[in-house]
Amino acid sequence: MRAIVEAKQVKKVYGSKGSVYTALDGIDLTVLEGEFVGIMGPSGSGKSTLLNVLATIDLPTSGDIVIDGTSIIKMKEEELSAFRRTKLGFLFQDYNLLDTLTVKENIVLPLALSKTNVTVIEQKVEAIADRFGIRALLDKYPYQISGGQKQRTAACRAIVSKPSLLLADEPTGALDSKSATELLESLKDLNEQDRATILMVTHDAFAASYCKRVLFIKDGKMFTELVKGQTSRKDFFKKVLDVLSVLGGGANDDI
């Protein structure tokens, strides 16, 4: 099984001289194709910083990051922009939908930017909307639908172009429990049926229990990991809670 993400000795340092903060301190990470991996840790642990450097939103101070066989460290901005568009899908807590576009137009955006054939676009949008149960909402605008429906729209947009890696940053953070469960079930199906590779930062043990593997970060370093294996989701949830209690929580977003 090939590696989709390989991070080697990744460091991220903020500030200079007298005021230095090390957010990531020599992180090593491998995510294989078809994995659903969660990243957890207490506030200030560096989990969001790690997602940002893997997402090419921020640059590490040192180390190497290879995504789908390509090192992203020395890419120029134009190359990074094309790389994000073709290789990465993003799912954020606040949806990042455009209110002036319909649900369908929001989903279509990545395909339109890559100049995909119109017939292919129609097929892909309908298929992905069916998968996430929002076919009936395609002509509505974001302000006309619920938070859960917005997040499922955002998920459709993130994966409609079949990226090598889906990066999710607290995707259930703004959702009620029913909407969160529906989204997580959809992501789980996407991972199991389409072998989508998903990396999700979350502070929520319930969300993490849907992952196949959970990495825990403390003070910018890898603390431990849990592998679900044949464990039931309910028992895996308890194991995640046990590790979080040792870590000291992780109930808030961090830097």
Side-chain angles (χ1 to χ4, degrees):
M1 208 177 297
R2 69 194 182 100
I4 295 296
V5 179
E6 292 177 280
K8 297 174 183 174
Q9 286 298 296
V10 172
K11 290 192 76 168
K12 180 63 182 180
V13 178
Y14 294 100
S16 60
K17 293 188 178 178
S19 178
V20 173
Y21 176 74
T22 303
L24 298 174
D25 192 6
I27 292 281
D28 289 319
L29 167 69
T30 300
V31 178
L32 301 178
E33 186 176 24
E35 280 201 290
F36 187 174
V37 178
I39 300 176
M40 302 193 80
S43 181
S45 61
K47 59 186 188 290
S48 292
T49 302
L50 178 59
L51 191 80
N52 286 342
V53 297
L54 295 176
T56 74
I57 292 168
D58 201 356
L59 277 173
T61 305
S62 62
D64 192 22
I65 297 171
V66 176
I67 296 178
D68 202 13
T70 302
S71 176
I72 62 173
I73 298 300
K74 294 180 181 176
M75 280 187 183
K76 295 185 170 65
E77 187 51 48
E78 197 173 304
E79 292 175 294
L80 280 174
S81 182
F83 185 84
R84 284 185 208 109
R85 197 164 57 244
T86 57
K87 297 289 187 182
L88 304 177
F90 298 95
L91 191 54
F92 302 100
Q93 180 175 332
D94 56 0
Y95 323 126
N96 283 11
L97 297 176
L98 298 174
D99 279 332
T100 54
L101 300 182
T102 63
V103 164
K104 181 178 180 178
E105 289 165 344
N106 268 283
I107 296 171
V108 160
L109 208 51
L111 298 176
L113 289 171
S114 61
K115 298 176 181 173
T116 304
N117 176 279
V118 175
T119 306
V120 174
I121 286 178
E122 289 292 331
Q123 291 170 345
K124 286 190 172 187
V125 169
E126 288 181 8
I128 202 69
D130 280 341
R131 170 70 67 84
F132 279 83
I134 58 169
R135 170 81 85 101
L137 305 177
L138 289 176
D139 293 328
K140 292 186 179 293
Y141 287 86
Y143 60 84
Q144 296 175 306
I145 62 178
S146 71
Q149 291 166 337
K150 286 179 185 176
Q151 194 59 298
R152 278 183 276 157
T153 299
C156 289
R157 181 187 59 190
I159 61 170
V160 71
S161 57
K162 294 218 165 176
S164 302
L165 178 66
L166 174 60
L167 295 154
D169 189 5
E170 302 282 4
T172 61
L175 303 181
D176 59 51
S177 59
K178 181 176 180 291
S179 297
T181 301
E182 287 172 351
L183 177 71
L184 290 163
E185 288 287 351
S186 296
L187 292 177
K188 178 171 165 280
D189 289 346
L190 189 71
N191 169 251
E192 292 176 350
Q193 294 172 25
D194 294 14
R195 297 197 73 248
T197 308
I198 305 171
L199 189 62
M200 175 175 72
V201 162
T202 182
H203 70 270
D204 181 5
F206 176 74
S209 70
Y210 279 82
C211 299
K212 292 178 178 175
R213 184 161 62 104
V214 180
L215 307 173
F216 296 86
I217 297 179
K218 183 177 183 181
D219 299 329
K221 297 179 180 180
M222 283 295 176
F223 179 74
T224 190
E225 75 168 13
L226 287 178
V227 178
K228 186 175 184 182
Q230 300 304 310
T231 309
S232 70
R233 193 190 61 73
K234 189 175 179 182
D235 287 340
F236 194 51
F237 171 66
K238 290 175 184 172
K239 288 184 177 181
V240 171
L241 285 176
D242 286 344
V243 176
L244 287 178
S245 68
V246 174
L247 269 175
N252 300 299
D253 293 344
D254 65 319
I255 94 164

